[in-house]
Amino acid sequence: MNLESNNPKRTAAEKAVEYIQDGMTVGLGTGSTAYWAIQQIGKRVLSGLQIKAVATSVQSENLAKELGIPLIPFSEVEEIDVTIDGADEVDGAWNLVKGGGGALLREKIIASSSKQLIIVVDESKVVDQLGKFHLPVEVVKFAYELTRNKLSALGCEPKMRMIDQQPFTTDNGNYILDCDFKQIKRPSECHDAINRIPGVVDNGLFIKMAARVIVGYQDGSVEELKLV
């Protein structure tokens, strides 16, 4: 993790945490930006903030436990007040590409149950059109080769995500295929076409799910975007 105090991800994340209030149920995202949000939430809990939290990954859950953030089981959750998470790309309509950290399915489950999804990014993640970042697609291990072929037929180049020369496995026990579409001109249609393929669990397109997008800049400033 970049521990510099002027890290734009940290600046954006700390701004987002200002929206958390006493009594809220909070969703904790995954990845380098969510890391800073969880750190700041931990500081506020230490200072007396009263919240309950759920995490989108084992990694974030472990960090929350280290910081003393009270976690509750999903069986006790009716609705999540606010979730703070990062994104790999954000377009002008606030459609997102997520999943670079490998937790897209859990992130989407939490986001869809949240009253408010706050996305925090640095300026490099704000784009005119999605697609430069390869779209993560979570697939079941069984016959994943056939699923990959179906994805290729949509006009992308899917590649197995690897770690230590082995296929990366999600917290759910699935593979991730990172799909190079070059450009995603119709995010909603692309999302639906991918999810109709048997073997696909879900994909990293988050369509109009964000309620706020907060951007941190290299000069130390922070901006909350206006929806185009």
Side-chain angles (χ1 to χ4, degrees):
M1 298 293 179
N2 184 350
L3 300 179
E4 296 179 7
S5 60
N6 64 345
N7 183 333
K9 293 181 179 181
R10 178 176 183 173
T11 305
E14 292 180 350
K15 176 65 176 177
V17 172
E18 294 177 7
Y19 285 100
I20 297 176
Q21 301 175 5
D22 275 329
M24 283 186 168
T25 299
V26 178
L28 307 176
T30 296
S32 57
T33 310
Y35 166 87
W36 289 114
I38 296 170
Q39 288 282 351
Q40 183 68 8
I41 292 168
K43 290 179 182 178
R44 288 193 58 194
V45 167
L46 191 61
S47 298
L49 178 69
Q50 299 291 319
I51 62 166
K52 299 175 181 178
V54 291
T56 57
S57 66
V58 173
Q59 178 188 48
S60 293
E61 181 179 337
N62 289 339
L63 179 59
K65 288 177 179 177
E66 290 175 16
L67 296 172
I69 299 171
L71 297 167
I72 58 173
F74 289 100
S75 59
E76 296 181 12
V77 177
E78 293 185 5
E79 196 170 42
I80 299 164
D81 294 294
V82 60
T83 291
I84 299 175
D85 209 346
D88 301 299
E89 288 186 330
V90 183
D91 71 10
W94 295 2
N95 296 311
L96 318 171
V97 169
K98 290 177 50 58
L104 68 93
L105 177 60
R106 295 188 180 197
E107 289 172 340
K108 192 174 282 188
I109 291 171
I110 299 301
S112 68
S113 296
S114 301
K115 293 180 183 177
Q116 184 173 199
L117 172 64
I118 302 178
I119 294 297
V120 285
V121 294
D122 64 53
E123 59 193 294
S124 70
K125 306 299 174 61
V126 181
V127 300
D128 293 327
Q129 188 172 79
L130 304 179
K132 184 176 180 181
F133 190 92
H134 295 177
L135 177 65
V137 179
E138 186 162 340
V139 302
V140 297
K141 291 181 178 180
F142 175 78
Y144 79 89
E145 299 91 343
L146 300 181
T147 307
R148 183 179 58 197
N149 292 344
K150 294 283 189 181
L151 285 167
S152 295
L154 295 180
C156 69
E157 182 183 350
K159 290 186 177 180
M160 175 71 73
R161 185 176 297 185
M162 306 292 288
I163 185 168
D164 297 329
Q165 299 183 321
Q166 297 293 324
F168 172 83
T169 302
T170 70
D171 287 343
N172 314 305
N174 299 316
Y175 289 150
I176 286 185
L177 299 175
D178 291 309
C179 299
D180 183 6
F181 280 93
K182 306 299 182 187
Q183 293 181 326
I184 301 176
K185 296 181 179 180
R186 298 178 179 85
S188 182
E189 292 178 19
C190 183
H191 172 277
D192 293 346
I194 291 171
N195 280 8
R196 283 195 293 267
I197 297 173
V200 168
V201 182
D202 212 327
N203 72 82
L205 284 167
F206 284 50
I207 308 300
K208 301 189 186 305
M209 298 182 76
R212 299 178 186 273
V213 176
I214 299 175
V215 184
Y217 294 88
Q218 290 291 340
D219 63 5
S221 64
V222 62
E223 176 188 18
E224 185 167 331
L225 295 186
K226 303 296 184 184
L227 187 59
V228 176

